[in-house]
Amino acid sequence: SGVRPGGSTVDFEQSLSEAALIASISSTAGSDPVALRLEELAADSARFYLEEEQARDSETAHVAENVSWFAASEGLYDLV
């Protein structure tokens, strides 16, 4: 999924009880370092935004980045 600078919402295929989420930026589209932030986690969606650091310059605008994510209901699972 692509996350835009102002934030993006991803919808889950089904509603999850007590959703757990793993997410990571999987591209390097911008030249400045950026962090992925989770703004909201709901039973049926998650909202992310990008936060650019300011070591090189004071602006914080960043281009869209690809994000890989996995969501599931909390619990113990057997991975076979």
Side-chain angles (χ1 to χ4, degrees):
S1 294
V3 174
R4 295 180 304 279
S8 297
T9 300
V10 295
D11 295 318
F12 306 151
E13 288 187 20
Q14 63 185 30
S15 185
L16 304 171
S17 61
E18 299 183 38
L21 178 76
I22 299 170
S24 178
I25 296 173
S26 54
S27 63
T28 53
S31 59
D32 290 331
V34 66
L36 179 66
R37 302 291 187 219
L38 177 64
E39 185 174 344
E40 181 181 1
L41 178 59
D44 60 351
S45 65
R47 181 160 179 79
F48 303 103
Y49 68 94
L50 301 173
E51 183 175 53
E52 186 176 286
E53 61 86 32
Q54 295 177 303
R56 290 189 200 174
D57 51 38
S58 60
E59 61 84 22
T60 58
H62 198 83
V63 297
E65 295 282 1
N66 291 327
V67 171
S68 298
W69 58 272
F70 174 80
S73 294
E74 287 186 8
L76 299 175
Y77 297 90
D78 288 326
L79 301 177
V80 186

